Amino acid sequence: MLIFLLPLLLYSCSMKMESVYVYKFRLGLSLLYFSYMQIDTVSSIAITSGIYDYENNDRYQSEAQHGNKQLLSDTLEFEEKNLQNLCDHSFQAMKDAYYDDDWQGCVKHGLTASKLFQDHLHKLVSCRRLCKHELVYDQHQIQNGFKSDAILALYGKSSLRYTTCVGKCVPPRFLFYENLLKREQYDYIQICYYKLKLYVKGAAAATTFLVVNPKHDYMSTNLANYREHLGVPEDDLIDLEAAEYQKLYKLAVNLYEEKKWSQQLQHSLAALDSYYDAYENCSVLCETGYAVGIDHHEFIGAVADQMEEVIKCKYGCTSTLSRLDLKIVDNILLNIYHHLQYSYSQVGDYKSGAEYAAAFLLHDPLNANMLTNKKYLMQEKNVPEKWFQPPQREVEHKQRLDTLAELMQYLHTEYVSQHSLGKKRQKQLAELEGFLGGNIKVNATAADLGGTERFVADGFATPEQCSHLINMCQVSQDRYSALVVYQKLSS
């Protein structure tokens, strides 16, 4: 890890704002080209200097409809390679500009890299979501398959088709992929804005970095300097890469406070749609490769360990989507439900209001305020009990969350992963070697050998001693063989 400390003059005082804290992390996402060959038409988006080329979309669909799939695939592959080169070039150009004190170039190239990377993520998620259509299971076939071969029933043709489709979404990742995923470009951008005396923009860039890296001490110090010494107001500490649902949610909250109920409904419904879309994107990005740290010889064990990481990631999507700039909203989804039930009631649509009150109570059935609202609607507005049925989408989402919660509980209380067993075995080997001392290397423990007081180890004897032992064993074997022969003859 490398930390550059840059001196900044703040109000005639010499202070420090630490910048460019460069590090890496592991996460299994990769660059893609957008090609879906399993359907009749292909909905594609081309990239031209980081901008979606909607004009050529009709051309791509026409080529797909007329069976010119090879030309389509080659075209998209070329565009993805171009995008990869542009991302890497822009990120490197930003770094070069930074070290050359070219502050405007640093900002320009850094923002370009961010835009290109967002385009890439959009295409990645779109491609993987389209591949979900390949996961169509025949329940009857699965039930019958379990009687003969459960593995083929679960991981048969449908899974193979899905894997083939997803494989088209994942060409090799580019050089600065992980840096962009951690928003490291905003580390450079915020200091370059500072050098340009654009403090509000610098603070926003620092905020954008901290949204993904909330425990980054150096950037937290920088942001405090922007606020306390450069006078950047709290309202300007915004996430420059905020998702659409976050923007809509903030607008809906403002309209709620202004009691503009019709407009509030419009924005809340849009925020709800966008939230579910963001949740699905988060869930899809969890389904990438994970290294579990051990060589598997058991197929189901390997699959289960991969699933463990996927489940944990998906379970965390609700928390991930609760970020709003630098704040954590307890549950944005429930707040949207509340706004909808209240606004619908204010415009006289009590049936819709009852539905979203029920959606809220589906997650928090003992909430006193919502129970009071329900009682009010029933007693004062004559809303029947049967109206308090949550919309089907809300029911399905809650079932999904409940399933994840149950799986997480099982992981915590019952499941022991092959990776955990591997770590436990390594610990046992180390402890046994420490007890035996010397240069002894333990190769197998009691658990490996199916006994309570067994182990296999190397290093007990020198090569010369081993030769003597082998010779002794050979002599013993000869004498034993002679005795056996003699016994057989005497009998």
Side-chain angles (χ1 to χ4, degrees):
M1 296 186 290
L2 180 62
I3 303 174
F4 295 87
L5 304 179
L6 299 178
L8 302 179
L9 295 177
L10 303 174
Y11 286 96
S12 303
C13 297
S14 179
M15 303 186 66
K16 291 183 179 180
M17 294 184 74
E18 296 84 347
S19 179
V20 198
Y21 184 81
V22 182
Y23 54 90
K24 294 185 177 181
F25 79 117
R26 301 183 65 185
L27 182 63
L29 298 179
S30 302
L31 183 64
L32 73 142
Y33 60 94
F34 193 103
S35 176
Y36 189 60
M37 311 304 283
Q38 304 298 326
I39 53 179
D40 293 333
T41 61
V42 178
S43 178
S44 308
I45 298 176
I47 296 292
T48 304
S49 300
I51 301 174
Y52 292 134
D53 187 359
Y54 291 103
E55 295 180 358
N56 288 328
N57 193 40
D58 292 338
R59 176 173 61 87
Y60 295 139
Q61 291 203 24
S62 176
E63 289 171 354
Q65 289 172 343
H66 289 83
N68 199 353
K69 294 180 178 180
Q70 185 59 47
L71 176 60
L72 173 62
S73 179
D74 291 344
T75 302
L76 292 171
E77 184 175 0
F78 171 78
E79 288 166 351
E80 286 303 332
K81 288 181 179 178
N82 186 44
L83 173 60
Q84 173 182 339
N85 293 334
L86 285 171
C87 277
D88 283 339
H89 172 77
S90 296
F91 194 91
Q92 185 61 54
M94 173 198 68
K95 294 174 64 177
D96 293 342
Y98 172 84
Y99 291 117
D100 290 340
D101 295 341
D102 178 7
W103 313 124
Q104 290 184 343
C106 167
V107 170
K108 173 186 174 182
H109 294 302
L111 293 177
T112 298
S114 289
K115 176 63 172 64
L116 291 170
F117 188 64
Q118 289 303 310
D119 291 342
H120 150 66
L121 287 181
H122 174 81
K123 296 181 73 179
L124 170 63
V125 169
S126 298
C127 182
R128 293 185 71 95
R129 287 179 66 170
L130 279 175
C131 289
K132 292 289 185 181
H133 294 294
E134 296 292 351
L135 287 174
V136 180
Y137 292 109
D138 185 335
Q139 294 296 330
H140 179 71
Q141 180 179 351
I142 291 177
Q143 291 174 1
N144 291 336
F146 268 114
K147 298 177 182 178
S148 57
D149 194 324
I151 299 299
L152 293 180
L154 285 173
Y155 305 103
K157 186 184 295 183
S158 180
S159 294
L160 293 174
R161 285 200 304 265
Y162 175 69
T163 302
T164 301
C165 179
V166 169
K168 298 174 183 178
C169 303
V170 190
R173 68 175 60 189
F174 44 89
L175 180 62
F176 294 113
Y177 179 89
E178 293 179 353
N179 307 79
L180 289 162
L181 199 61
K182 293 295 289 181
R183 298 187 180 182
E184 289 180 13
Q185 67 275 23
Y186 287 101
D187 194 356
Y188 292 87
I189 291 171
Q190 62 91 20
I191 204 66
C192 293
Y193 271 136
Y194 171 82
K195 292 292 187 178
L196 294 169
K197 301 187 184 303
L198 299 173
Y199 303 133
V200 172
K201 291 185 176 182
T207 300
T208 304
F209 179 86
L210 282 170
V211 168
V212 174
N213 308 277
K215 297 181 180 180
H216 196 287
D217 294 336
Y218 303 102
M219 192 62 73
S220 297
T221 300
N222 287 359
L223 188 61
N225 287 332
Y226 278 117
R227 284 197 327 239
E228 298 168 11
H229 299 282
L230 296 173
V232 176
E234 194 78 21
D235 291 343
D236 289 324
L237 305 181
I238 59 174
D239 181 3
L240 298 175
E241 292 193 3
E244 186 66 19
Y245 79 92
Q246 295 171 318
K247 299 173 184 177
L248 291 167
Y249 175 79
K250 288 198 285 187
L251 287 172
V253 170
N254 292 336
L255 291 168
Y256 181 86
E257 293 173 350
E258 295 170 4
K259 299 182 179 180
K260 297 180 179 178
W261 308 120
S262 296
Q263 292 175 270
Q264 203 283 330
L265 279 173
Q266 179 182 355
H267 283 80
S268 286
L269 289 171
L272 184 61
D273 290 340
S274 183
Y275 176 89
Y276 282 129
D277 190 59
Y279 185 91
E280 185 62 31
N281 291 346
C282 177
S283 180
V284 165
L285 291 178
C286 288
E287 298 171 7
T288 53
Y290 292 87
V292 296
I294 186 171
D295 292 330
H296 284 287
H297 301 287
E298 183 70 30
F299 171 73
I300 290 296
V303 173
D305 280 4
Q306 296 282 316
M307 282 300 300
E308 179 184 8
E309 299 301 321
V310 172
I311 291 166
K312 290 178 179 178
C313 179
K314 287 175 178 280
Y315 183 78
C317 283
T318 298
S319 297
T320 300
L321 298 183
S322 294
R323 298 171 185 165
L324 198 63
D325 296 331
L326 293 179
K327 301 175 183 177
I328 300 294
V329 181
D330 286 339
N331 199 318
I332 287 181
L333 184 60
L334 265 63
N335 290 348
I336 296 175
Y337 289 161
H338 164 68
H339 291 159
L340 286 170
Q341 66 87 24
Y342 194 87
S343 297
Y344 270 126
S345 299
Q346 293 299 313
V347 299
D349 187 350
Y350 301 119
K351 187 176 188 299
S352 296
E355 290 176 353
Y356 283 101
F360 187 103
L361 291 171
L362 196 63
H363 293 262
D364 189 1
L366 300 179
N367 187 277
N369 291 332
M370 192 58 65
L371 289 173
T372 299
N373 287 354
K374 179 179 178 180
K375 182 178 179 180
Y376 172 82
L377 289 173
M378 294 181 70
Q379 293 182 352
E380 302 297 329
K381 302 300 179 181
N382 298 319
V383 174
E385 177 70 34
K386 66 180 181 179
W387 283 8
F388 288 91
Q389 299 295 326
Q392 184 60 30
R393 180 173 63 172
E394 277 57 51
V395 173
E396 292 175 356
H397 184 71
K398 181 60 167 59
Q399 291 172 342
R400 187 176 188 177
L401 297 180
D402 288 344
T403 299
L404 286 170
E406 291 173 5
L407 288 170
M408 284 295 294
Q409 179 65 22
Y410 181 81
L411 289 175
H412 286 310
T413 59
E414 302 289 340
Y415 180 67
V416 179
S417 69
Q418 294 295 312
H419 181 40
S420 298
L421 288 175
K423 293 171 64 178
K424 181 179 179 181
R425 180 176 182 275
Q426 292 299 324
K427 182 180 179 181
Q428 291 173 341
L429 292 175
E431 289 176 348
L432 189 54
E433 289 171 358
F435 173 76
L436 295 172
N439 296 318
I440 295 174
K441 175 67 175 177
V442 178
N443 297 319
T445 66
D448 300 315
L449 301 173
T452 58
E453 297 180 356
R454 303 175 182 178
F455 68 90
V456 175
D458 291 330
F460 277 106
T462 65
E464 292 79 8
Q465 291 170 330
C466 283
S467 296
H468 288 306
L469 288 170
I470 291 171
N471 290 333
M472 290 172 62
C473 290
Q474 185 63 46
V475 171
S476 298
Q477 183 180 15
D478 292 341
R479 293 179 62 189
Y480 178 72
S481 299
L483 289 174
V484 169
V485 172
Y486 175 77
Q487 290 172 349
K488 285 183 177 179
L489 289 173
S490 64
S491 62

